[in-house]
Each structure stands twice: as structure tokens, then as C-alpha cells.
Amino acid sequence: MAINYLLEDRRSSLMAQGRRGEKEKGTGKSRYEMRVNSKVANTTRQFNEIDMNSLFVHNILTINVPVVGETDNYTVRIKFGGFLDLLREQIERQNGEMNLRAVTRALLDAFNQDDVYIHCSCPDFKYRFNFWATMKDINSGVPEKRPAKITNPRNSMGPGCKHIMLVLSNNSWLIKVARVINNWVIYMSKNRKKQYADIVYPAIYGKPYEEPVQLSMDDETDLNRQSDIDTAIEQGRTRGQFTTGNQYRFQPRNNPRGQLSIDDVDADSVEQ
């Protein structure tokens, strides 16, 4: 059977392939059907590994999504572009204001509209899907040039393992990613002003930073200081705390399908 090259590999296309995937012997279920036995991480701190250089320099968002599987914990790596362009559109619609709502909406749109690259640390992906993901140029991890001649010779099992199918079919984790990005931008604007003015602000707003910036000894251009991300998350959590009963407190709806609605996100919602 020839490789089924896609004209596009958007989230919807990958999910459709997953639904059509061959059922596994012994379970009688496809990887898409088996996804429900795993869980995506549910705290903002678990999404603190974001390549900010790639995002704000190249407009490519790479996210490590922790997944609790049936037998072990794994990491699904999702990569897609277009976020910054969509963020600028959202900021314009909100009269020039960047906030959690704008970031979340841009993430949702980019996740649905742009091509998605996938990878998982589990053995199932390594031995059955990694080669095909490499051949179809949708692999966001280490390429695999050795064919899956025995484990998946016809590329008939779908685009990825059950952990990837879970992450693709569930978008609620994007609110955690949105919080990390939003908190980090706020932190950078206050604590690393030169990097914010030179790199971050122009990437977000599509224009040069116009306010005067005090010269600093910190000329480092690397945006991937883990201490910055971790501190930003903690400051965001503290900044977003509200008293019980506050009408603007973020309270996600009880949605077993894990689908995030923009109505669930308020611009001033709690950062957890």
C-alpha cells in the first residue's frame, strides 16, 4: 500500500485519519477509541516547557503536552505556526489590548487552522508511527528513517498513538498554554525590558517598540530562560487570585469531551 500523502495535515485531518484507523488485535479498538483511557495534564505549571525563541522569532509554537497513560507518563509534542498573526488580529479586535482571552482565541484558531506536527515519547509511536510521520513530514520529534515493516507496514493505524489522538481531540489544555504565554509576556515587559522591546513586542504587535528603554547590562537575546517562565507562572497565579464568589473568576465548564469554549475564558480570569 502506498503512503497516503495529505494535501494538508491540519488537526481535523489527523483526527479523521485516527477515526478510520485500523483496530488493534486483542482490543478491537482503534487508537482514537483508546485515547479515553489516558489523561492530559491539568495544571499550568506542567506546561512550562515552551520554546519562546521559536515562538517569538519564527512564529512556530512547540508545546510539550504531558499525558498520563495507562502504563506510564508520556510527552506529546505538538507544533504549529500562525499564532502571532492571529494574535495580532485578536488584539486589534480588542482595541489594542493583549490579554488571556486574546491569547486563548489565537491559540484555538491556530490549532485548528494551521498544519500540526506531532510526536510522542511512548513506544507505540516510536515503533509504529514515527517512520510514517517522518515520511509525511509531520514529525515534530527525532526523524525515523527505518520503515515499520512489521509493526505498521501499510500505514493503516492512523497518524499517531492514542496519546496523540487524545491531545488532538481535546483542546482544553490550550488554556494552560495561553496562561503560560500571557504570564510570560507580562513578566518580560516588566523585568526584561530590552528583550521585550527588541523581540517580544514587535512579534506581538507587528511594529517597533516606541517607548524609551533604559540601557541594561543584560543584552542576552535568548528568551528560553526557564527561571523566567517559572517565575512568570507563579506571579500570574498570585496576580490572578480572587476572593470566593467573584463573578470574573475562571470556572471551566463540566465538559467531558475536553473542548474549550472561548466563553469559558475571561480576560481577567484566575491564573492557576
Side-chain angles (χ1 to χ4, degrees), residues 101-133:
R101 176 179 284 270
V103 175
T104 305
R105 170 54 77 185
L107 282 175
L108 283 168
D109 289 345
F111 189 44
N112 288 324
Q113 296 177 18
D114 206 83
D115 287 355
V116 177
Y117 296 80
I118 55 177
H119 191 272
C120 184
S121 62
C122 75
D124 190 39
F125 183 85
K126 178 179 180 180
Y127 295 112
R128 293 180 175 85
F129 301 98
N130 202 6
F131 169 75
W132 295 108

Side-chain angles (χ1 to χ4, degrees), residues 134-228:
T134 301
M135 292 299 98
K136 293 163 65 176
D137 195 25
I138 60 171
N139 191 353
S140 63
V142 178
E144 176 58 76
K145 299 298 179 64
R146 294 171 296 179
K149 294 181 179 180
I150 298 176
T151 55
N152 188 15
R154 298 181 295 113
N155 188 25
S156 57
M157 297 180 177
C161 61
K162 57 189 176 184
H163 312 114
I164 288 175
M165 290 294 98
L166 172 66
V167 172
L168 289 176
S169 63
N170 177 324
N171 68 15
S172 63
W173 52 271
L174 283 172
I175 184 60
K176 311 300 180 184
V177 177
R179 283 177 175 145
V180 174
I181 294 174
N182 190 55
N183 288 336
W184 181 84
V185 169
I186 294 172
Y187 174 86
M188 294 294 287
S189 69
K190 296 179 179 179
N191 298 278
R192 296 187 65 194
K193 294 184 178 180
K194 189 175 189 306
Q195 290 79 4
Y196 176 78
D198 291 348
I199 304 173
V200 180
Y201 182 94
I204 292 174
Y205 294 95
K207 60 182 180 180
Y209 188 76
E210 298 176 351
E211 299 296 326
V213 178
Q214 183 176 357
L215 295 178
S216 170
M217 295 296 293
D218 184 9
D219 290 331
E220 180 184 351
T221 58
D222 182 19
L223 301 180
N224 283 333
R225 295 205 310 200
Q226 192 61 54
S227 59
D228 290 341

